[in-house]
């Protein structure tokens, strides 16, 4: 199955526990004020990919000992069939790798999905699309509700564990700060810099200022209209 992606990154260490494969779906019509990923809004932008190509990345990440998969965007539910297929395939590969290892690893890798929909907006169809995840982080980004909660950008966002693995992995962080760094940077394909994670209020402006002081002027920023 085909889908449109904003990108992928491994190892991602700022959106969920441990070392993860990050997959960003392209397209989001929710248009939160203050969104740091405006480049993911246009459903026709990004790059075409296939679920099997993403699963090949996941297979490699598992072989490297990844702690989990994080699917974000954009809004993954705007490509619900591809999301469902990706989650089902990722669980199959994870469980297969686990059987092969004889459960020797420290813990199975978990599957986490970000959606901008609030819990009350999650219809049965949307829950079905999310059903393969171990945990979901719900809710719009609300710029007026800053938070230090782990892996969340605003205080309304909720971590919802969906499986025993999700509960074991995420319950300790429902009301806690992130155990690791909140932002990581990496060179972007085609030049520029990519930021992964959830900045604190004012952190992006501070980063722009620091870069400017070091002689690096940003010409485009995904968090500016
Ligand atoms: S914060 Fe997330 S849900 Fe909101 S507009 Fe940006 S990508 Fe969409």
């Amino acid at each position: 199955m085909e889908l449109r992606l904003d990108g992928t990154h491994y190892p991602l260490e700022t959106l969920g526990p441990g070392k993860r494969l990050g997959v960003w779906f392209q397209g989001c019509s929710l248009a939160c004020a203050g969104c740091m990923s405006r480049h993911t809004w246009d459903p026709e932008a990004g790059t075409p990919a296939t679920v099997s190509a993403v699963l090949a990345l996941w297979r490699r990440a598992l072989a490297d000992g990844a702690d989990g998969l994080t699917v974000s965007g954009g809004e993954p539910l705007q490509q619900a069939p591809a999301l469902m297929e990706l989650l089902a395939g990722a669980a199959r590969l994870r469980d297969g790798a686990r059987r092969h290892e004889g459960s020797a690893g420290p813990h199975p890798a978990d599957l986490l999905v970000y959606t901008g929909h609030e819990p009350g907006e999650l219809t049965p169809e949307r829950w079905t699309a999310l059903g393969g995840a171990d945990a979901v982080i719900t809710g719009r980004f609300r710029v007026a509700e800053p938070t230090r909660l782990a892996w969340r950008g605003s205080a309304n966002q909720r971590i919802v564990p969906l499986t025993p693995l999700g509960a074991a992995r995420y319950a300790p962080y429902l009301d806690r700060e992130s155990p690791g760094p909140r932002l990581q940077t990496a060179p972007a394909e085609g030049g520029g810099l990519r930021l992964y994670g959830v900045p604190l209020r004012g952190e992006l402006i501070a980063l722009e200022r620091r870069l400017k002081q070091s002689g690096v002027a940003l010409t485009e920023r995904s968090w500016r209209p």
Side-chain angles (χ1 to χ4, degrees), residues 135-164:
V136 180
I137 297 185
T138 63
R140 308 279 194 284
F141 170 66
R142 294 189 195 155
V143 71
E145 298 180 37
T147 185
R148 300 186 75 94
L149 287 170
W151 310 308
R152 283 156 284 177
S154 54
N156 60 301
Q157 294 178 328
R158 296 276 171 272
I159 299 179
V160 184
L162 301 180
T163 64

PDB file of all heavy atoms in Angstrom, residues 135-164:
ATOM      1  N   ALA A 135       0.227   2.316  22.427  1.00  0.00           N
ATOM      2  CA  ALA A 135      -0.172   3.545  23.131  1.00  0.00           C
ATOM      3  C   ALA A 135      -0.385   4.642  22.097  1.00  0.00           C
ATOM      4  O   ALA A 135       0.199   4.616  21.009  1.00  0.00           O
ATOM      5  CB  ALA A 135       0.895   3.971  24.133  1.00  0.00           C
ATOM      6  N   VAL A 136      -1.246   5.591  22.458  1.00  0.00           N
ATOM      7  CA  VAL A 136      -1.551   6.726  21.583  1.00  0.00           C
ATOM      8  C   VAL A 136      -1.369   7.999  22.399  1.00  0.00           C
ATOM      9  O   VAL A 136      -1.685   8.019  23.598  1.00  0.00           O
ATOM     10  CB  VAL A 136      -3.020   6.629  21.104  1.00  0.00           C
ATOM     11  CG1 VAL A 136      -3.365   7.794  20.204  1.00  0.00           C
ATOM     12  CG2 VAL A 136      -3.272   5.326  20.381  1.00  0.00           C
ATOM     13  N   ILE A 137      -0.840   9.031  21.771  1.00  0.00           N
ATOM     14  CA  ILE A 137      -0.825  10.362  22.403  1.00  0.00           C
ATOM     15  C   ILE A 137      -1.831  11.210  21.639  1.00  0.00           C
ATOM     16  O   ILE A 137      -1.716  11.363  20.419  1.00  0.00           O
ATOM     17  CB  ILE A 137       0.579  10.981  22.408  1.00  0.00           C
ATOM     18  CG1 ILE A 137       1.509  10.091  23.251  1.00  0.00           C
ATOM     19  CG2 ILE A 137       0.535  12.414  22.940  1.00  0.00           C
ATOM     20  CD1 ILE A 137       2.910  10.617  23.457  1.00  0.00           C
ATOM     21  N   THR A 138      -2.848  11.679  22.360  1.00  0.00           N
ATOM     22  CA  THR A 138      -3.986  12.351  21.713  1.00  0.00           C
ATOM     23  C   THR A 138      -3.949  13.857  21.937  1.00  0.00           C
ATOM     24  O   THR A 138      -3.392  14.334  22.922  1.00  0.00           O
ATOM     25  CB  THR A 138      -5.313  11.835  22.303  1.00  0.00           C
ATOM     26  OG1 THR A 138      -5.360  12.167  23.697  1.00  0.00           O
ATOM     27  CG2 THR A 138      -5.472  10.337  22.128  1.00  0.00           C
ATOM     28  N   GLY A 139      -4.598  14.550  21.029  1.00  0.00           N
ATOM     29  CA  GLY A 139      -4.914  15.960  21.274  1.00  0.00           C
ATOM     30  C   GLY A 139      -4.147  16.938  20.418  1.00  0.00           C
ATOM     31  O   GLY A 139      -2.983  16.723  20.070  1.00  0.00           O
ATOM     32  N   ARG A 140      -4.822  18.060  20.103  1.00  0.00           N
ATOM     33  CA  ARG A 140      -4.192  19.167  19.370  1.00  0.00           C
ATOM     34  C   ARG A 140      -3.020  19.720  20.173  1.00  0.00           C
ATOM     35  O   ARG A 140      -3.002  19.612  21.400  1.00  0.00           O
ATOM     36  CB  ARG A 140      -5.170  20.333  19.188  1.00  0.00           C
ATOM     37  CG  ARG A 140      -6.511  20.043  18.597  1.00  0.00           C
ATOM     38  CD  ARG A 140      -6.458  19.944  17.091  1.00  0.00           C
ATOM     39  NE  ARG A 140      -7.805  19.998  16.570  1.00  0.00           N
ATOM     40  CZ  ARG A 140      -8.666  18.970  16.625  1.00  0.00           C
ATOM     41  NH1 ARG A 140      -8.314  17.829  17.161  1.00  0.00           N
ATOM     42  NH2 ARG A 140      -9.886  19.106  16.127  1.00  0.00           N
ATOM     43  N   PHE A 141      -2.132  20.400  19.486  1.00  0.00           N
ATOM     44  CA  PHE A 141      -1.153  21.236  20.164  1.00  0.00           C
ATOM     45  C   PHE A 141      -1.826  22.562  20.477  1.00  0.00           C
ATOM     46  O   PHE A 141      -2.325  23.241  19.580  1.00  0.00           O
ATOM     47  CB  PHE A 141       0.077  21.462  19.283  1.00  0.00           C
ATOM     48  CG  PHE A 141       0.987  22.504  19.845  1.00  0.00           C
ATOM     49  CD1 PHE A 141       1.646  22.288  21.040  1.00  0.00           C
ATOM     50  CD2 PHE A 141       1.148  23.725  19.205  1.00  0.00           C
ATOM     51  CE1 PHE A 141       2.464  23.272  21.588  1.00  0.00           C
ATOM     52  CE2 PHE A 141       1.969  24.703  19.743  1.00  0.00           C
ATOM     53  CZ  PHE A 141       2.623  24.470  20.938  1.00  0.00           C
ATOM     54  N   ARG A 142      -1.886  22.911  21.773  1.00  0.00           N
ATOM     55  CA  ARG A 142      -2.498  24.193  22.168  1.00  0.00           C
ATOM     56  C   ARG A 142      -1.409  25.085  22.733  1.00  0.00           C
ATOM     57  O   ARG A 142      -0.897  24.833  23.835  1.00  0.00           O
ATOM     58  CB  ARG A 142      -3.580  23.964  23.227  1.00  0.00           C
ATOM     59  CG  ARG A 142      -4.767  23.182  22.693  1.00  0.00           C
ATOM     60  CD  ARG A 142      -5.909  23.162  23.689  1.00  0.00           C
ATOM     61  NE  ARG A 142      -6.903  22.167  23.364  1.00  0.00           N
ATOM     62  CZ  ARG A 142      -7.715  21.595  24.240  1.00  0.00           C
ATOM     63  NH1 ARG A 142      -7.646  21.935  25.523  1.00  0.00           N
ATOM     64  NH2 ARG A 142      -8.589  20.696  23.858  1.00  0.00           N
ATOM     65  N   VAL A 143      -1.095  26.102  21.958  1.00  0.00           N
ATOM     66  CA  VAL A 143       0.049  26.940  22.300  1.00  0.00           C
ATOM     67  C   VAL A 143      -0.133  27.624  23.656  1.00  0.00           C
ATOM     68  O   VAL A 143       0.844  27.923  24.350  1.00  0.00           O
ATOM     69  CB  VAL A 143       0.307  27.953  21.150  1.00  0.00           C
ATOM     70  CG1 VAL A 143      -0.769  29.008  21.082  1.00  0.00           C
ATOM     71  CG2 VAL A 143       1.687  28.559  21.237  1.00  0.00           C
ATOM     72  N   ALA A 144      -1.379  27.843  24.067  1.00  0.00           N
ATOM     73  CA  ALA A 144      -1.638  28.554  25.328  1.00  0.00           C
ATOM     74  C   ALA A 144      -1.563  27.622  26.544  1.00  0.00           C
ATOM     75  O   ALA A 144      -1.787  28.074  27.666  1.00  0.00           O
ATOM     76  CB  ALA A 144      -3.001  29.214  25.272  1.00  0.00           C
ATOM     77  N   GLU A 145      -1.280  26.338  26.324  1.00  0.00           N
ATOM     78  CA  GLU A 145      -1.236  25.400  27.454  1.00  0.00           C
ATOM     79  C   GLU A 145       0.117  24.675  27.494  1.00  0.00           C
ATOM     80  O   GLU A 145       0.184  23.467  27.277  1.00  0.00           O
ATOM     81  CB  GLU A 145      -2.379  24.382  27.341  1.00  0.00           C
ATOM     82  CG  GLU A 145      -3.753  25.005  27.386  1.00  0.00           C
ATOM     83  CD  GLU A 145      -4.865  23.972  27.271  1.00  0.00           C
ATOM     84  OE1 GLU A 145      -4.718  22.862  27.825  1.00  0.00           O
ATOM     85  OE2 GLU A 145      -5.875  24.278  26.610  1.00  0.00           O
ATOM     86  N   PRO A 146       1.198  25.423  27.741  1.00  0.00           N
ATOM     87  CA  PRO A 146       2.518  24.789  27.719  1.00  0.00           C
ATOM     88  C   PRO A 146       2.648  23.739  28.822  1.00  0.00           C
ATOM     89  O   PRO A 146       1.941  23.803  29.837  1.00  0.00           O
ATOM     90  CB  PRO A 146       3.482  25.952  27.967  1.00  0.00           C
ATOM     91  CG  PRO A 146       2.670  26.997  28.639  1.00  0.00           C
ATOM     92  CD  PRO A 146       1.265  26.840  28.129  1.00  0.00           C
ATOM     93  N   THR A 147       3.531  22.782  28.613  1.00  0.00           N
ATOM     94  CA  THR A 147       3.702  21.717  29.601  1.00  0.00           C
ATOM     95  C   THR A 147       5.130  21.196  29.558  1.00  0.00           C
ATOM     96  O   THR A 147       5.825  21.378  28.544  1.00  0.00           O
ATOM     97  CB  THR A 147       2.740  20.540  29.296  1.00  0.00           C
ATOM     98  OG1 THR A 147       2.851  19.580  30.334  1.00  0.00           O
ATOM     99  CG2 THR A 147       3.072  19.866  27.971  1.00  0.00           C
ATOM    100  N   ARG A 148       5.532  20.548  30.641  1.00  0.00           N
ATOM    101  CA  ARG A 148       6.802  19.833  30.644  1.00  0.00           C
ATOM    102  C   ARG A 148       6.564  18.334  30.635  1.00  0.00           C
ATOM    103  O   ARG A 148       7.493  17.549  30.799  1.00  0.00           O
ATOM    104  CB  ARG A 148       7.634  20.226  31.870  1.00  0.00           C
ATOM    105  CG  ARG A 148       7.967  21.710  31.954  1.00  0.00           C
ATOM    106  CD  ARG A 148       8.902  22.002  33.108  1.00  0.00           C
ATOM    107  NE  ARG A 148      10.254  21.591  32.815  1.00  0.00           N
ATOM    108  CZ  ARG A 148      11.191  22.394  32.301  1.00  0.00           C
ATOM    109  NH1 ARG A 148      10.925  23.652  32.033  1.00  0.00           N
ATOM    110  NH2 ARG A 148      12.405  21.934  32.059  1.00  0.00           N
ATOM    111  N   LEU A 149       5.296  17.908  30.476  1.00  0.00           N
ATOM    112  CA  LEU A 149       4.988  16.480  30.502  1.00  0.00           C
ATOM    113  C   LEU A 149       5.744  15.741  29.388  1.00  0.00           C
ATOM    114  O   LEU A 149       5.912  16.253  28.288  1.00  0.00           O
ATOM    115  CB  LEU A 149       3.485  16.256  30.312  1.00  0.00           C
ATOM    116  CG  LEU A 149       2.593  16.624  31.501  1.00  0.00           C
ATOM    117  CD1 LEU A 149       1.124  16.574  31.088  1.00  0.00           C
ATOM    118  CD2 LEU A 149       2.846  15.688  32.677  1.00  0.00           C
ATOM    119  N   ALA A 150       6.143  14.517  29.701  1.00  0.00           N
ATOM    120  CA  ALA A 150       6.952  13.737  28.766  1.00  0.00           C
ATOM    121  C   ALA A 150       6.271  13.608  27.411  1.00  0.00           C
ATOM    122  O   ALA A 150       5.101  13.227  27.332  1.00  0.00           O
ATOM    123  CB  ALA A 150       7.186  12.347  29.340  1.00  0.00           C
ATOM    124  N   TRP A 151       7.012  13.916  26.363  1.00  0.00           N
ATOM    125  CA  TRP A 151       6.643  13.681  24.959  1.00  0.00           C
ATOM    126  C   TRP A 151       5.408  14.446  24.522  1.00  0.00           C
ATOM    127  O   TRP A 151       4.832  14.112  23.494  1.00  0.00           O
ATOM    128  CB  TRP A 151       6.487  12.174  24.703  1.00  0.00           C
ATOM    129  CG  TRP A 151       7.666  11.412  25.202  1.00  0.00           C
ATOM    130  CD1 TRP A 151       8.981  11.678  24.905  1.00  0.00           C
ATOM    131  CD2 TRP A 151       7.677  10.304  26.108  1.00  0.00           C
ATOM    132  NE1 TRP A 151       9.798  10.801  25.575  1.00  0.00           N
ATOM    133  CE2 TRP A 151       9.029   9.941  26.310  1.00  0.00           C
ATOM    134  CE3 TRP A 151       6.689   9.573  26.753  1.00  0.00           C
ATOM    135  CZ2 TRP A 151       9.416   8.900  27.144  1.00  0.00           C
ATOM    136  CZ3 TRP A 151       7.065   8.528  27.571  1.00  0.00           C
ATOM    137  CH2 TRP A 151       8.413   8.196  27.767  1.00  0.00           C
ATOM    138  N   ARG A 152       4.967  15.446  25.295  1.00  0.00           N
ATOM    139  CA  ARG A 152       3.780  16.212  24.933  1.00  0.00           C
ATOM    140  C   ARG A 152       4.096  17.700  24.826  1.00  0.00           C
ATOM    141  O   ARG A 152       4.919  18.211  25.568  1.00  0.00           O
ATOM    142  CB  ARG A 152       2.671  15.982  25.969  1.00  0.00           C
ATOM    143  CG  ARG A 152       1.999  14.627  25.753  1.00  0.00           C
ATOM    144  CD  ARG A 152       1.355  14.092  26.982  1.00  0.00           C
ATOM    145  NE  ARG A 152       2.328  13.554  27.927  1.00  0.00           N
ATOM    146  CZ  ARG A 152       2.026  13.069  29.118  1.00  0.00           C
ATOM    147  NH1 ARG A 152       0.776  13.071  29.518  1.00  0.00           N
ATOM    148  NH2 ARG A 152       2.964  12.582  29.913  1.00  0.00           N
ATOM    149  N   GLY A 153       3.412  18.368  23.896  1.00  0.00           N
ATOM    150  CA  GLY A 153       3.677  19.773  23.662  1.00  0.00           C
ATOM    151  C   GLY A 153       2.739  20.698  24.389  1.00  0.00           C
ATOM    152  O   GLY A 153       3.034  21.866  24.577  1.00  0.00           O
ATOM    153  N   SER A 154       1.563  20.194  24.792  1.00  0.00           N
ATOM    154  CA  SER A 154       0.636  21.025  25.557  1.00  0.00           C
ATOM    155  C   SER A 154      -0.093  20.156  26.580  1.00  0.00           C
ATOM    156  O   SER A 154      -0.202  18.935  26.419  1.00  0.00           O
ATOM    157  CB  SER A 154      -0.337  21.767  24.637  1.00  0.00           C
ATOM    158  OG  SER A 154      -1.016  20.892  23.782  1.00  0.00           O
ATOM    159  N   ALA A 155      -0.569  20.833  27.633  1.00  0.00           N
ATOM    160  CA  ALA A 155      -1.042  20.102  28.815  1.00  0.00           C
ATOM    161  C   ALA A 155      -2.300  19.280  28.557  1.00  0.00           C
ATOM    162  O   ALA A 155      -2.623  18.373  29.316  1.00  0.00           O
ATOM    163  CB  ALA A 155      -1.289  21.098  29.954  1.00  0.00           C
ATOM    164  N   ASN A 156      -3.040  19.603  27.478  1.00  0.00           N
ATOM    165  CA  ASN A 156      -4.251  18.826  27.170  1.00  0.00           C
ATOM    166  C   ASN A 156      -3.927  17.458  26.575  1.00  0.00           C
ATOM    167  O   ASN A 156      -4.784  16.563  26.553  1.00  0.00           O
ATOM    168  CB  ASN A 156      -5.091  19.576  26.132  1.00  0.00           C
ATOM    169  CG  ASN A 156      -4.317  19.797  24.842  1.00  0.00           C
ATOM    170  OD1 ASN A 156      -3.250  20.425  24.872  1.00  0.00           O
ATOM    171  ND2 ASN A 156      -4.801  19.285  23.735  1.00  0.00           N
ATOM    172  N   GLN A 157      -2.722  17.272  26.074  1.00  0.00           N
ATOM    173  CA  GLN A 157      -2.412  16.024  25.373  1.00  0.00           C
ATOM    174  C   GLN A 157      -2.273  14.881  26.375  1.00  0.00           C
ATOM    175  O   GLN A 157      -1.726  15.050  27.458  1.00  0.00           O
ATOM    176  CB  GLN A 157      -1.146  16.189  24.523  1.00  0.00           C
ATOM    177  CG  GLN A 157      -1.376  17.194  23.394  1.00  0.00           C
ATOM    178  CD  GLN A 157      -0.148  17.456  22.542  1.00  0.00           C
ATOM    179  OE1 GLN A 157       0.978  17.401  23.023  1.00  0.00           O
ATOM    180  NE2 GLN A 157      -0.369  17.778  21.283  1.00  0.00           N
ATOM    181  N   ARG A 158      -2.812  13.734  25.991  1.00  0.00           N
ATOM    182  CA  ARG A 158      -2.887  12.583  26.897  1.00  0.00           C
ATOM    183  C   ARG A 158      -2.158  11.398  26.308  1.00  0.00           C
ATOM    184  O   ARG A 158      -2.285  11.126  25.105  1.00  0.00           O
ATOM    185  CB  ARG A 158      -4.342  12.155  27.097  1.00  0.00           C
ATOM    186  CG  ARG A 158      -5.208  13.197  27.787  1.00  0.00           C
ATOM    187  CD  ARG A 158      -5.066  13.118  29.316  1.00  0.00           C
ATOM    188  NE  ARG A 158      -5.719  14.236  29.979  1.00  0.00           N
ATOM    189  CZ  ARG A 158      -5.141  15.420  30.238  1.00  0.00           C
ATOM    190  NH1 ARG A 158      -3.901  15.646  29.907  1.00  0.00           N
ATOM    191  NH2 ARG A 158      -5.802  16.373  30.846  1.00  0.00           N
ATOM    192  N   ILE A 159      -1.458  10.651  27.181  1.00  0.00           N
ATOM    193  CA  ILE A 159      -0.932   9.343  26.762  1.00  0.00           C
ATOM    194  C   ILE A 159      -2.002   8.318  27.123  1.00  0.00           C
ATOM    195  O   ILE A 159      -2.435   8.254  28.273  1.00  0.00           O
ATOM    196  CB  ILE A 159       0.366   8.980  27.502  1.00  0.00           C
ATOM    197  CG1 ILE A 159       1.462  10.007  27.216  1.00  0.00           C
ATOM    198  CG2 ILE A 159       0.831   7.585  27.094  1.00  0.00           C
ATOM    199  CD1 ILE A 159       2.786   9.729  27.952  1.00  0.00           C
ATOM    200  N   VAL A 160      -2.432   7.541  26.133  1.00  0.00           N
ATOM    201  CA  VAL A 160      -3.453   6.516  26.369  1.00  0.00           C
ATOM    202  C   VAL A 160      -2.858   5.148  26.045  1.00  0.00           C
ATOM    203  O   VAL A 160      -2.708   4.794  24.875  1.00  0.00           O
ATOM    204  CB  VAL A 160      -4.687   6.757  25.466  1.00  0.00           C
ATOM    205  CG1 VAL A 160      -5.787   5.756  25.776  1.00  0.00           C
ATOM    206  CG2 VAL A 160      -5.197   8.184  25.606  1.00  0.00           C
ATOM    207  N   PRO A 161      -2.491   4.359  27.069  1.00  0.00           N
ATOM    208  CA  PRO A 161      -1.989   3.014  26.784  1.00  0.00           C
ATOM    209  C   PRO A 161      -3.131   2.127  26.291  1.00  0.00           C
ATOM    210  O   PRO A 161      -4.258   2.226  26.786  1.00  0.00           O
ATOM    211  CB  PRO A 161      -1.472   2.524  28.149  1.00  0.00           C
ATOM    212  CG  PRO A 161      -1.327   3.755  28.986  1.00  0.00           C
ATOM    213  CD  PRO A 161      -2.398   4.690  28.491  1.00  0.00           C
ATOM    214  N   LEU A 162      -2.868   1.287  25.302  1.00  0.00           N
ATOM    215  CA  LEU A 162      -3.912   0.440  24.719  1.00  0.00           C
ATOM    216  C   LEU A 162      -3.677  -1.041  24.959  1.00  0.00           C
ATOM    217  O   LEU A 162      -4.583  -1.849  24.725  1.00  0.00           O
ATOM    218  CB  LEU A 162      -4.001   0.688  23.197  1.00  0.00           C
ATOM    219  CG  LEU A 162      -4.310   2.117  22.738  1.00  0.00           C
ATOM    220  CD1 LEU A 162      -4.353   2.183  21.220  1.00  0.00           C
ATOM    221  CD2 LEU A 162      -5.619   2.588  23.330  1.00  0.00           C
ATOM    222  N   THR A 163      -2.474  -1.423  25.338  1.00  0.00           N
ATOM    223  CA  THR A 163      -2.146  -2.842  25.535  1.00  0.00           C
ATOM    224  C   THR A 163      -1.373  -2.978  26.850  1.00  0.00           C
ATOM    225  O   THR A 163      -0.874  -1.979  27.389  1.00  0.00           O
ATOM    226  CB  THR A 163      -1.241  -3.360  24.396  1.00  0.00           C
ATOM    227  OG1 THR A 163       0.014  -2.645  24.462  1.00  0.00           O
ATOM    228  CG2 THR A 163      -1.869  -3.171  23.024  1.00  0.00           C
ATOM    229  N   PRO A 164      -1.214  -4.194  27.352  1.00  0.00           N
ATOM    230  CA  PRO A 164      -0.392  -4.373  28.554  1.00  0.00           C
ATOM    231  C   PRO A 164       1.029  -3.842  28.355  1.00  0.00           C
ATOM    232  O   PRO A 164       1.598  -3.213  29.257  1.00  0.00           O
ATOM    233  CB  PRO A 164      -0.405  -5.898  28.761  1.00  0.00           C
ATOM    234  CG  PRO A 164      -1.707  -6.339  28.132  1.00  0.00           C
ATOM    235  CD  PRO A 164      -1.914  -5.440  26.954  1.00  0.00           C
TER     236      PRO A 164
END
